[in-house]
Amino acid sequence: MAKDRRGKKPSSRQVNLAEKAGAKPSAAKTDGKTRKKGKKRIGKIVAIVVLCLIVVAALVFLIVVGKYVWDTLNDDESDVPEVDLTLFDSTPEAVQDKVAYYLVGVMGADSESKTELLSLVCWDKVENTLDILQVPQDAYLGETGQWDVRYLGNVWNNPKPLDWCETCRRRVQEDEIADSKHTVCGTAITQKAGSAAEQLIDVFNDQYGVPVDDFFLIPQEGFVKLVNLLGGVDVDLEESMTVGDITYEAGVQPLDGEAALAYITNRESGVSGDIDRLVRQRKVYSAILQRLFRSSREELEEDVLGALQQGSTPIRSNSDYEDMINILLGSEEDGTPGMNQVPMSSIRIWVMPGEAATSGGQTFFSVHKSELVTLLNENFLPYTDKVTEETLQITELANSGTADTHPQTFSDFAVEQSQDLTAITTTTAA
């Protein structure tokens, strides 16, 4: 017979469906669902934050890149190196209203080429004169170790690396170095790219003992543009000259930029050939200055210097084109006169005294120290300390006698600049 189970407690395995239907979910199950929902919400928040950061980063990137591109395309001096001239010998403040010194030149055809011309210009504002000293590119710099090269013309394209301290964040002088470390802090010395302008100015400060207030070096393509923007230059050619398919006959000829560049860069071999070229270059100097001097401020701002400096081959300088115009035409702001007030008869020019000499199988232009001292003291240092042979850091390779400095004034050879490129008449080369 079946056993009577009435009055006994239900088995633990039995399920009361009514109770189950009305029972609340257990705490464990409720917490699990809550955690799942919380994780989903946190995941969404994290995803939104990450997305926002990506969007912000992208916007910042676009703004920075856009600003860089805009500045590159519109910066007048994007390719002009700045040099802190306070590190060098510039005109003493007490006489800056009386005299100024500028380094002027044309660069080489490429990064491996010597500069084509370098001249020091001394502007005596009291006497209203300009004195120009032309320096041969083969001038000997000696073996001092101050430069990585021995030819003056190679300094611009071969600046010597600087000894640098990463801890002090500055250039280290030779007497501050011991065992390849900076004696101030013990940091190992590293090398930093040197400044071409700084080291070129050093030559004129230390070798020749003259101050430099600013430099103006123009790339060859920029020189061509400048001459063309001025409407060409009239030059009295000693003999006929062929440039490309055009022959320019001897006598006064209007030259465009390419022809003018060919005229000043063409040289025969050797130091004597370079001296002959320096004398020829004076004619182009004179022509360019005359055309700059006779231009109006508006023309220089909009059509000549302004256009050149905002192009791809500007003059390398610490000055902007407005400063250059003030030097040439005077300042409207303070009423100071410009170089254009100097007559052609008061612009005097010399070649550095010296002669050809050899050292280590190479030929150099050896500067005559005593003659240079006399030339500088009489014509280039009217209001500053005079130099002596002892103060000039020049190594003289040879001195066989008095050198010809080819002294001239611009009035001796200047040609009236009356023609324009539109008036050029030439004979096509056969």
Side-chain angles (χ1 to χ4, degrees), residues 185-196:
C185 62
T187 303
I189 297 298
T190 58
Q191 298 291 295
K192 192 178 183 69
S195 165

Side-chain angles (χ1 to χ4, degrees), residues 11 20 25 42 97 140 165 181 217 226 320 347 391 401 404:
S11 169
K20 184 177 180 181
I42 293 173
D97 61 335
Y140 182 60
C165 177
K181 294 182 180 180
L217 267 72
L226 174 62
D320 58 27
I347 302 178
T391 59
D404 186 359

